[in-house]
Amino acid sequence: MKIRTDIAHQQCIHPECEATFDVAEPLFECPKCAHLLDVRYNWSKAALPRRLKDFEAKWARQDDPLAFSGVWRFHELIPFAAREHVITVGEGRTILQRADRVGPYVGLAPGRLFLQYEGLNPSGSFKDNGMTAAFTHAHRAGAKRAICASTGNTSASVALYSAVDGRIPAVVLVGSGKIAYGKLAQALDYGVRVLQVEGDFDACMHRVKEVARKLRIYLMNSLNPFRLEGQKTIMYRILEGLAWEPPDWIVVPGGNLGNSSAFGKAFHELQEVGLMKRVPRLAVINAAGADTLARIVNEEKIRWDDGRMDEARVARFYERMNAEHRRAKTLASAIEINRPVNLAKCLRALEWTDGVVETVTDQEILDAKAQVGAGGFGCEPASAASVAGARKLRAAGIIEKSDRVACVLTGHALKDPNVTVAYHSLEAAALAEKYADYGVGGAPNANRPIQVPDDLEKIIAAIQA
Ligand code: F0G
């Protein structure tokens, strides 16, 4: 195995390949064997802080973009770019919230549930953590154009960075009618070229790879290993929010599996450089209608197995899925994905963190979402899968009542207002009819709006009822 002497390089994750490539190359798969690539570092102890707590000092340096960005504050742990190359809009200034009003719903003791509000990012989702890193790399790689497939948030984030930066125009492919309006509105408003493809996300993802290869356009999906470098920082901020004492569990929705892959890598590396001893367990939550990971892990029992993952069985699994014409279907449109591109890396992360995979129905997602909202912040449906999943794992006794649990709320509540308004305002029968295809039967946690005539007495009566 060839080791580069510079600080960072790209490396194929397949143990029989492990080919290395220059950090400046724009790649989204190994050119030799088509497996996924990692960004790897030659860690220098001198360049790393002595302890994680030392990162806190940067909070005081608000004049420095590398200190006020919640991603680049951790530059020492993602040192692939020199500071003058960094493109940042101050993403990642997100906070871990103690959520005692949601804790009882999950079944946790007071002070044990925390919600990491990634919806507070500039484009309203966690994607900005990865996009600042990918745009930074794209410049280094000399990219002239960028492209992505998206269920909505990636496209919103790409559009934001492309618009702010102004040097890398972007094209986004979204499934026609498949993305929530908040997200489509952002992509349109920020001025990128939006292609509405007559197909779902999996189809868009397939095409976007073809287009990126053919036209040599820089790919912004989480296949891009630099995206994941930025997303690692979500974990650093959770640790920081807990005074660097790792929680017992990190719970995250699983779609294309970029986050879960990045989170596993974050902890693995912190152990590698001696900055962390015990790592949290990762729980990845699939929507029941988009449950490829859950099936592969819990039914097929396929494991990363130190790189010896049984790829032939995975291929047979996908063949069966095609033969059955099985398509992802969930109201949590952000994670309506059946062919997660980061599957191998996610299985690796599960191995590194003794992780588990759970599924939740759309009913469970919407009920949990209303609870998160009632706790004061709110999130989009896909994000609530984390809370619904934590509740289920708690009920099954996998998560203990006294465990400290951090659920990642990946996207802002305003991303998808349609589902929220329907949940709160429709009568059970109407809701069941509207979402019959999704198995939603009612809204036990609804906060119903009250219709009143324009009449003082009746308005007062409604207030006092
Ligand atoms: N939550 C939200 C709000 C998302 O937008 C996504 C992915 C996920 C969770 C899943 O994360 O892919 O890292 O497992 N959205 C992508 C998109 C696919 O195109 O916006 P993952």
Side-chain angles (χ1 to χ4, degrees):
M1 188 176 81
K2 199 165 115 225
I3 296 284
R4 297 281 166 115
T5 51
D6 44 1
I7 183 133
H9 60 275
Q10 302 185 70
Q11 184 165 29
C12 177
I13 70 165
H14 198 271
E16 277 161 32
C17 178
E18 292 192 338
T20 61
F21 305 95
D22 193 276
V23 74
E25 281 193 53
L27 302 170
F28 57 85
E29 61 190 6
C30 176
K32 297 201 167 132
C33 69
H35 285 94
L36 295 166
L37 294 169
D38 263 340
V39 182
R40 298 281 294 267
Y41 302 106
N42 300 312
W43 299 110
S44 142
K45 287 267 185 246
L48 285 169
R50 226 164 26 82
R51 40 184 205 148
L52 287 168
K53 195 172 170 43
D54 294 349
F55 282 111
E56 289 171 25
K58 297 200 196 176
W59 276 106
R61 303 218 319 261
Q62 293 299 301
D63 57 331
D64 176 1
L66 265 76
F68 72 57
S69 162
V71 171
W72 298 102
R73 218 148 49 73
F74 299 100
H75 191 197
E76 291 88 339
L77 296 169
I78 48 170
F80 67 85
R83 59 182 296 129
E84 61 270 22
H85 290 130
V86 167
I87 295 170
T88 173
V89 296
E91 56 292 308
R93 292 161 69 96
T94 61
I95 293 180
L96 187 71
Q97 305 278 351
R98 177 172 155 160
D100 281 356
R101 295 210 54 217
V102 189
Y105 181 71
V106 174
L108 291 170
R112 301 320 250 178
L113 178 68
F114 297 84
L115 301 175
Q116 176 67 17
Y117 273 100
E118 289 303 310
L120 298 179
N121 269 291
S123 82
S125 87
F126 76 87
K127 301 286 180 183
D128 298 345
N129 291 284
M131 221 49 82
T132 180
F135 265 79
T136 295
H137 180 259
H139 267 292
R140 248 197 106 170
K144 300 278 179 291
R145 254 193 305 179
I147 194 165
C148 72
S150 185
T151 56
N153 282 325
T154 301
S155 58
S157 186
V158 164
L160 184 147
Y161 280 87
S162 175
V164 169
D165 176 61
R167 291 171 291 180
I168 304 183
V171 185
V172 306
L173 271 66
V174 299
S176 196
K178 289 285 187 183
I179 83 171
Y181 259 31
K183 307 172 190 183
L184 181 59
Q186 288 178 291
L188 296 173
D189 220 24
Y190 303 159
V192 288
R193 184 175 296 224
V194 178
L195 303 189
Q196 293 186 298
V197 179
E198 291 166 10
D200 60 9
F201 173 81
D202 293 314
C204 291
M205 190 67 233
H206 179 72
R207 291 294 178 205
V208 94
K209 283 194 272 180
E210 291 180 328
V211 175
R213 279 189 206 105
K214 210 171 168 112
L215 300 184
R216 295 182 165 274
I217 305 184
Y218 189 93
L219 187 70
M220 290 289 177
N221 282 98
S222 55
L223 271 177
N224 177 334
F226 295 91
R227 272 272 311 273
L228 304 194
E229 291 308 293
Q231 287 167 219
K232 291 190 310 193
T233 65
I234 301 170
M235 292 303 102
Y236 307 150
R237 296 196 297 274
I238 288 183
L239 292 176
E240 187 176 45
L242 296 172
W244 309 106
E245 186 59 45
D248 297 291
W249 291 92
I250 300 287
V251 191
V252 62
N256 229 359
L257 306 179
N259 260 341
S260 44
S261 299
F263 298 172
K265 186 171 189 276
F267 294 129
H268 188 71
E269 287 173 345
L270 287 180
Q271 277 189 317
E272 191 178 62
V273 300
L275 285 169
M276 194 177 185
K277 289 196 184 73
R278 181 180 66 82
V279 302
R281 295 182 71 186
L282 199 57
V284 186
I285 314 300
N286 269 169
D291 61 348
T292 296
L293 179 70
R295 283 178 195 242
I296 282 189
V297 171
N298 298 338
E299 290 169 22
E300 303 287 325
K301 311 273 185 216
I302 297 172
R303 298 287 180 270
W304 168 246
D305 198 12
D306 212 12
R308 291 181 299 272
M309 176 180 116
D310 191 339
E311 292 180 10
R313 279 187 58 209
V314 174
R316 283 201 298 278
F317 175 86
Y318 283 133
E319 277 163 25
R320 271 204 314 282
M321 199 161 84
N322 282 349
E324 292 165 11
H325 302 291
R326 189 145 35 87
R327 292 259 165 229
K329 192 165 180 61
T330 167
L331 283 173
S333 57
I335 52 173
E336 197 178 53
I337 297 172
N338 253 358
R339 287 179 170 269
V341 296
N342 288 300
L343 176 68
K345 281 188 180 174
C346 175
L347 294 180
R348 185 177 69 169
L350 291 170
E351 192 159 294
W352 280 339
T353 62
D354 189 20
V356 300
V357 183
E358 183 58 275
T359 59
V360 288
T361 63
D362 281 4
Q363 182 75 58
E364 289 168 325
I365 287 174
L366 295 191
D367 293 345
K369 192 180 95 61
Q371 290 286 336
V372 172
F377 281 85
C379 62
E380 63 168 285
S383 314
S386 64
V387 172
R391 175 180 155 94
K392 213 159 171 180
L393 290 167
R394 171 70 201 100
I398 296 168
I399 292 180
E400 305 275 347
K401 190 179 171 72
S402 59
D403 282 352
R404 287 210 305 180
V405 179
C407 292
V408 183
L409 297 185
T410 46
H412 199 280
L414 298 177
K415 289 279 191 175
D416 190 356
N418 293 13
V419 172
T420 307
V421 173
Y423 182 89
H424 287 294
S425 51
L426 292 179
E427 291 299 334
L431 188 71
E433 193 185 326
K434 183 175 171 74
Y435 294 136
D437 290 353
Y438 299 91
V440 172
N445 301 332
N447 171 28
R448 298 221 173 284
I450 302 156
Q451 288 292 331
V452 281
D454 181 10
D455 176 305
L456 183 61
E457 294 302 311
K458 296 222 164 77
I459 289 172
I460 289 173
I463 289 168
Q464 293 181 326

